[in-house]
Amino acid sequence: MTMPTPVQRSSSILGGFHQPLAHRSPAARILALATVMLGLALIPQGTGMAGAATPVSPTDSVTAPALAPGLDLNQDFQTNPNDDLADPQAKQDASPPVPPLPTAIPEAVVPANEGIVGLTPGPEDNLGIGVLQPRNLDFLDRAAWETNPLAYGRWLRSVALPLYVGPDGEHWGWMVNGWLIINGYEPMAIGRDASFSMVEARTGLYSFPVLEQRIDGWFRFQYTPAGSAWAHLDHLAVGAVALTLQPWEDTLATASHIRFRRHGLSQSLRTEPRGTASLQALVAPNSRIRPLAIDGDWMRVEVTQPVQGCTILPGHTTEEGWLRWRDEATQALLVWAVAVDCSEPGPESE
């Protein structure tokens, strides 16, 4: 079943300020923590745990999480690991300490792919400002990358990330060793005991959409179809696999090809990156669009049309120009990366 989100999703891409738990009434604090649990889409019995989580048994097996080398969780962790979305000058000096790890942590598991949903987002899905993913993606450029332990959602088995109800709010759990561990409850295996929501913006890599980020380092990401959680930039390197927040412009700039999120509509191709520039052409749905550069909300592209899949059709044209990749008013994504590799030109149809 799908249940309410632990924090209200903002209508704005940048979102609004959510009142910290410390400033709320006791009843509001209890309600906020309860909605963390309700944000999960639990998988029916037979494929994993059924119903609500139950308290941890002291006899549960415990294993050490995969932590960054030399990390001491008894000290404050104030390293700022490659915060692509952060403004280091704007961040406050104070960094939240890493909370204690759960007393019972199961052995690391690889998330079940059948429980990862939303990999290809719909045209109305809120994808926020970027993605939460591993910092080092060199493995995607190597041979046999599909068997790499970081490919797809496997990187989650080596992650340790504390989760919060809100900025400077109450710590409510961990994402660690491929498990979601809510304080005081049994661990839930990601993709097995609860559905998790991720996107595949780059072939072979599953990432969490980052819905908003504050200048003090707090950010909110979507982790289930109806639930989101807060975390802090200074906690992205607690696990053995360091994480980063990558803005959409950097993700889409490296895409082999893109497509419009709304199918069936033609989009304007302009001579310059501004809405008042001359109209160069209309980009039809049956087009191959290759990113070349990004300037604000505009992307310079190479457009070949008409095509069918990776096959270039007779009478095609190829030209370069500028189109909007992000809505000016809402900052919503207008395009999405195409997973199929069409880097090699296809033959013309007979």
Side-chain angles (χ1 to χ4, degrees):
M1 56 182 173
T2 301
M3 306 182 187
T5 172
V7 290
Q8 292 295 324
R9 294 182 63 171
S10 172
S11 58
S12 166
I13 291 299
L14 295 179
F17 179 83
H18 297 281
Q19 186 182 30
L21 285 184
H23 299 163
R24 302 179 190 177
S25 67
R29 288 164 57 88
I30 294 173
L31 177 60
L33 286 173
T35 51
V36 167
M37 290 292 297
L38 296 178
L40 297 171
L42 299 179
I43 294 178
Q45 191 171 7
T47 57
M49 183 173 55
T54 55
V56 175
S57 166
T59 60
D60 287 344
S61 61
V62 179
T63 184
L67 298 178
L71 178 64
D72 183 1
L73 291 184
N74 293 320
Q75 300 178 359
D76 289 355
F77 185 72
Q78 300 184 1
T79 303
N80 191 5
N82 189 27
D83 312 336
D84 289 339
L85 286 176
D87 180 1
Q89 300 300 322
K91 281 193 59 181
Q92 297 179 356
D93 294 335
S95 174
V98 177
L101 282 165
T103 55
I105 302 177
E107 293 184 2
V109 295
V110 175
N113 285 337
E114 58 269 22
I116 305 297
V117 300
L119 294 175
T120 301
E124 301 297 333
D125 290 346
N126 177 15
L127 299 177
I129 58 175
V131 286
L132 174 64
Q133 62 187 28
R135 185 198 308 177
N136 189 339
L137 300 180
D138 290 347
F139 73 92
L140 288 173
D141 298 323
R142 301 172 187 162
W145 61 265
E146 293 185 66
T147 60
N148 191 282
L150 299 183
Y152 302 104
R154 299 184 199 122
W155 56 272
L156 288 168
R157 74 186 304 273
S158 301
V159 165
L161 181 66
L163 306 175
Y164 298 80
V165 172
D168 293 314
E170 192 159 344
H171 168 254
W172 62 264
W174 281 83
M175 190 181 299
V176 58
N177 281 16
W179 298 80
L180 176 65
I181 304 180
I182 298 174
N183 295 341
Y185 291 87
E186 282 192 5
M188 289 180 282
I190 296 175
R192 188 194 71 188
D193 298 333
S195 295
F196 264 53
S197 182
M198 306 181 79
V199 295
E200 189 177 12
R202 183 168 177 179
T203 301
L205 180 68
Y206 298 168
S207 307
F208 292 109
V210 177
L211 302 179
E212 58 181 299
Q213 183 195 351
R214 293 162 33 122
I215 61 174
D216 57 3
W218 290 97
F219 66 93
R220 182 166 66 96
F221 69 98
Q222 184 169 357
Y223 70 103
T224 72
S228 60
W230 287 87
H232 198 278
L233 291 173
D234 287 345
H235 296 167
L236 294 183
V238 174
V241 171
L243 305 177
T244 189
L245 271 59
Q246 185 175 67
W248 280 122
E249 44 263 61
D250 291 350
T251 301
L252 294 173
T254 60
S256 171
H257 293 81
I258 61 170
R259 62 166 175 82
F260 297 120
R261 293 184 66 195
R262 290 187 177 275
H263 299 288
L265 297 179
S266 296
Q267 304 288 342
S268 299
L269 186 71
R270 299 192 179 275
T271 56
E272 297 179 21
R274 51 189 175 88
T276 57
S278 300
L279 179 65
Q280 184 172 333
L282 287 177
V283 182
N286 59 337
S287 300
R288 179 187 299 180
I289 311 172
R290 185 167 66 91
L292 300 176
I294 286 183
D295 185 352
D297 296 336
W298 293 84
M299 178 184 291
R300 184 167 180 81
V301 296
E302 178 190 80
V303 179
T304 300
Q305 57 183 341
V307 300
Q308 184 175 3
C310 289
T311 301
I312 301 174
L313 300 178
H316 71 275
T317 61
T318 299
E319 54 189 327
E320 295 183 7
W322 294 87
L323 56 78
R324 281 195 182 276
W325 67 273
R326 184 169 57 189
D327 185 87
E328 181 179 19
T330 67
Q331 295 293 283
L333 292 190
L334 303 176
V335 302
W336 186 246
V338 176
V340 178
D341 184 11
C342 291
S343 57
E344 294 298 327
E348 290 194 14
S349 174
E350 296 295 337

